[in-house]
Amino acid sequence: MEYLLIVNLDGAAIDALPEDEKRDLDARSIGHDRELEARGRLVAARALQSPATAVTVRVRDGRISTTDGPFAETREQIGGFLLIEARDLNEAIDIAAQIPVGQFGCIEVRPTYKIPGSE
Amino acid sequence: MSAGPADIEAIYRAQSGRVLATLIRLLGNFDLAEEALHDAFIAAAAQWPRDGLPGNPRAWLVSAGRFKAIDLIRRRARFDAALKEIADTLDTEDPEMEEVSIADDHLRLIFSCCHPALPPDAQLALTLRTVCGLTTEEIARAFLAPAPTIAQRIVRAKTRIRDLDLTFRVPEADELPERLDSVLATIYLVFSEGYAASQGEDLTRPDISSEAIRLGRLLAQLLPEAEVFGLLALMLLHEARRPARLSAGELVLLADQDRSLWDHGLIAEAQDLVSRAWVTGTVGTYTLQAAIAAEHCRAATADATDWARIVALYDMLLTAEPTPIVALNRAVAVAMRDGPEAGLMLIAPLLADKALANHHLAHSARADLLRQLGRNAEAEAAYARALELATLAPERRFIERRLQELGVSSSPLPTDGGRLGP
C-alpha cells in the first residue's frame, strides 16, 4: 500500500537555525531518503520551495483564475512530501516519525486511493 | 519451489509473530525489530519469486532481519555514535536459533502485547497486529473502526510498552496467574468479536474468531496450562456449533439446532482438551464453561442432555465466578432439571440486581419459563421488556416471534434451555 507523507513545516523556525544546524538537518534528511530508498520503501520524495513561490489555480466554467500563494494561509505550510510503500498504516506512521524535519512541524499520513478503472 | 505474493503473505501471517519475537530478543528493541521484520519481508518479496522458497523460511527471515537491522543501525550510527557500538556487538554475536528459545520468544511477545498495564482495546489491536500479522487496516475493518483510531491505539500501546519497559520477559511463576488471565481474556475477546459478528446484519466482517483459535492453539503449545486448554476447548465448542446457530439469518436456540451441522471433529478435539485440563485438578472458569458446553455437545438430542451434570458444573462455575450472568445460566439449567417453577424462584432475586434488571437475556429467560407454565400474560410482559432492552437485530426478531406465538397460541412450546453467551 502506498502512503503520502505530507511534511508541514514552520519555515521561519528552520530559517532561524544556525548554519551548521541547517547543514546537519539537510544531511540527515538526505540520509533518511537514502535509507528509505535502500529499504525499498521510497516511491518519491521532494522538498518544496517556499509557499511564497506558490500559485493557486482554479478553473470554473472554462475560465482559469490564479491567485498568489498557497490555498491556505497558516504558519505551518507544506514543505515537502514523501510517497512511500508500507505494509500498513502503523508502518507508515513509524516511517513518518523518523523524518528529520518533522521536529519543526508535523507530518500528515494519507493512504493513497486507486481510482476505480485506473489499472 | 517458487513463491508468489500470495505465498509470501501467507508466510507473513503464519511466521511474522515468531520472527518478530526472535528479532526483539536479538536486537533488544521492539521498534528496530519491527523495522527489521518489514525489511526482511521486502527482501523476501524480491528474492523468493526469483530464487525459490528457502528450506526454512523462518530462519531465513530472522537472519535477513538481523542483517537488515545491522545495516540500519550502521546507517543511523553516522548521526549517533552510541548506535555504532550496538551494531558492532550484533555483528560479532552468533544468534541463538534453538527451538526452545524461539518458543520462549514467542511467548514473551504474547505476554507483552497482553500486558495488564495496557487497556484491553490496545491489547487486542497490538496482539492482532504483532502476533497474528494482521495489518492495521484489516483490524480496523474487523472492528468496524476507522483505521486512524486503531493506528493510534497501537502507537500508544507501543509507547507504553517502551515507557514502562514492559518488554519481553516471561512472567515469574508467582505472577503467572494474573498475567495469564490477561492473555486469555484478550484471546477470548478477539474470539467474541468475531463470533458476535455473525449476529450482526453485516456479514462482510473478516472472521477473526479463527485468529483467536489460532492464538489459542499456539498458546496451548507454548504454555500447556489447564486454563489454556479450557479456553481453547471453549472456543472450539462455540466454533463447532456455529454452522447450526443461524438459519436464514435467524438465531436458532441450542435445543432447536440441527446437531448434524455441528463440527464433530472440533467437538472431539475440545472434549479431549477438557479432559486434559480436568486431570490437572486446578479447574478454572474457562475449563468449567468448556465442560458445560462439552456436556451439551455430548447429548445426541436436546432431550438427552444431562441437566443434573450441567447444574453441578454451574454450581462450580458460580463459586469460581460469582456473577449474575452465571447465576442466570444456572437458574435456566435448574429449570431444565427441576421444572420451570424452580427456575423462576431463582431468577426472581436475580432481577433485583441492577446488571440483570436491564439485561434482555434475564427477561427473556423469565418469559420463557412463564410461557412454559401457561402464565401467558406475565410471559408477554416479560418478553416485551426483553424486546425493549435487546439491541441486535436477530435477537429482536427472535423475541418478536415469541411474542407473536403467544398471541396466537397458548399451547406450550418446546423449551430452549440453551446456554447464553458468549
Side-chain angles (χ1 to χ4, degrees), chain B residues 165-208:
Chain B
D165 201 15
L166 303 180
T167 15
F168 306 111
R169 189 169 61 80
V170 173
E172 304 290 335
D174 63 323
E175 51 176 2
L176 188 64
E178 189 211 354
R179 296 290 307 278
L180 185 57
D181 275 356
S182 180
V183 173
L184 297 177
T186 300
I187 296 177
Y188 198 40
L189 211 53
V190 173
F191 181 83
S192 303
E193 282 290 337
Y195 201 72
S198 65
Q199 292 185 15
E201 298 289 26
D202 187 359
L203 298 171
T204 61
R205 288 168 71 172
D207 186 4
I208 57 169

Side-chain angles (χ1 to χ4, degrees), chain A residues 89-90 93, chain B residues 121-122 125 136 139-140 143-157:
Chain A
L89 185 54
N90 277 95
I93 290 171
Chain B
D121 55 2
T136 308
I139 299 165
F143 290 102
L144 302 174
T149 308
I150 300 292
Q152 225 170 348
R153 269 178 214 165
I154 291 169
V155 168
R156 284 205 195 116

Side-chain angles (χ1 to χ4, degrees), chain A residues 24-103:
Chain A
D24 179 60
L25 187 60
D26 285 345
R28 280 191 291 141
S29 297
I30 294 167
H32 182 253
D33 286 355
R34 293 214 174 118
E35 176 190 316
L36 287 180
E37 201 168 13
R39 294 170 61 202
R41 301 300 201 290
L42 193 64
V43 181
R46 294 290 183 276
L48 301 178
Q49 294 188 26
S50 85
T53 63
V55 174
T56 301
V57 181
R58 274 188 193 76
V59 179
R60 294 287 180 275
D61 303 322
R63 294 168 62 90
I64 299 172
S65 70
T66 60
T67 46
D68 291 351
F71 177 66
E73 281 291 341
T74 54
R75 204 162 63 91
E76 285 184 354
Q77 295 279 3
I78 300 177
F81 68 86
L82 294 87
L83 184 62
I84 59 157
E85 175 69 38
R87 175 172 169 81
D88 66 0
L89 185 54
N90 277 95
E91 201 203 342
I93 290 171
D94 291 340
I95 290 173
Q98 288 171 1
I99 293 176
V101 291
Q103 54 185 302

Side-chain angles (χ1 to χ4, degrees), chain B residues 219-346:
Chain B
L219 197 62
Q221 264 174 29
L222 297 173
L223 195 69
E225 293 272 323
E227 277 291 83
V228 178
F229 293 147
L231 172 65
L232 177 57
L234 181 60
M235 294 191 295
L236 291 175
L237 289 163
H238 284 308
E239 192 62 25
R241 295 184 303 199
R242 187 200 286 268
R245 213 166 135 254
L246 288 175
S247 171
E250 299 303 323
L251 268 181
V252 184
L253 289 177
L254 187 55
D256 305 323
Q257 288 177 8
D258 177 353
R259 297 184 178 217
S260 69
L261 294 176
W262 291 355
D263 185 330
H264 292 278
L266 288 184
I267 291 173
E269 186 187 349
Q271 279 165 334
D272 180 54
L273 286 164
V274 172
S275 313
R276 283 166 71 191
W278 209 265
V279 295
T280 64
T282 48
V283 174
T285 55
Y286 291 111
T287 305
L288 286 166
Q289 291 178 74
I292 292 166
E295 197 55 44
H296 281 293
C297 289
R298 208 164 59 87
T301 63
D303 289 342
T305 309
D306 183 347
W307 289 105
R309 186 163 157 71
I310 287 177
V311 171
L313 288 168
Y314 270 120
D315 287 341
M316 293 168 77
L317 184 58
L318 195 58
T319 313
E321 190 186 311
T323 63
I325 198 85
V326 172
L328 176 65
N329 280 310
R330 182 181 170 276
V332 173
V334 168
M336 293 304 293
R337 185 189 62 181
D338 302 337
E341 299 261 22
L344 277 178
M345 298 231 311
L346 291 172

